[in-house]
Amino acid sequence: MPTLAVIFCETRPHPAEPAPPAEWTGEARFLLDPPGDLLAALQAAQLHDRGHPDDLSVQVSAEALFEDGEIIGRTTLSAADLATLTPHLPELHHARLLAWAAFAYALEGQGLEARLVAWFVR
């Protein structure tokens, strides 16, 4: 059972053709307690273990690199994925996920791509 759920929101400007995409930047770190609730919800929604992309931001890469425990359940989510995930969580977490989605959608409204990078520590 995980002892910590770590969720980072990363952004980057939408890629402009033909220029290569900009690098991702860490915007915010979210936590959810107890972490087992989120892991179970990701599994129930079939959003678990998607892995992390190779182009993580420096902030997120460093955070994962220096994590003290064993990292499990790496996944990447969009703001829209949170709507799929919410019904699988206890109701006490719904407002938190809505806030995460609102944060990501607000960043997207400013012309940025946004994603949530998650993992669990045990």
Side-chain angles (χ1 to χ4, degrees):
M1 186 57 75
T3 58
L4 181 66
V6 180
I7 304 94
F8 275 92
C9 181
E10 294 183 314
T11 61
R12 71 177 177 189
H14 279 285
E17 296 297 328
E23 291 189 18
W24 290 93
T25 302
E27 291 284 346
R29 179 180 179 167
F30 305 123
L31 301 172
L32 188 113
D33 193 38
D37 287 355
L38 182 57
L39 183 57
L42 286 165
Q43 291 167 341
Q46 298 182 1
L47 297 172
H48 67 294
D49 292 326
R50 291 178 165 178
H52 288 166
D54 293 334
D55 60 349
L56 291 174
S57 68
V58 172
Q59 299 93 327
V60 174
S61 294
E63 190 78 24
L65 180 65
F66 292 107
E67 193 62 66
D68 288 336
E70 176 189 6
I71 294 178
I72 62 168
R74 296 171 197 255
T75 197
T76 305
L77 306 166
S78 68
D81 288 332
L82 297 176
T84 302
L85 183 60
T86 301
H88 299 283
L89 279 164
E91 192 172 329
L92 70 106
H93 298 308
H94 290 187
R96 182 178 309 268
L97 257 66
L98 289 172
W100 296 353
F103 184 78
Y105 283 129
L107 293 167
E108 289 174 356
Q110 295 177 347
L112 301 170
E113 290 183 277
R115 66 183 181 191
L116 297 150
V117 178
W119 67 84
F120 299 86
V121 179
R122 67 171 164 198

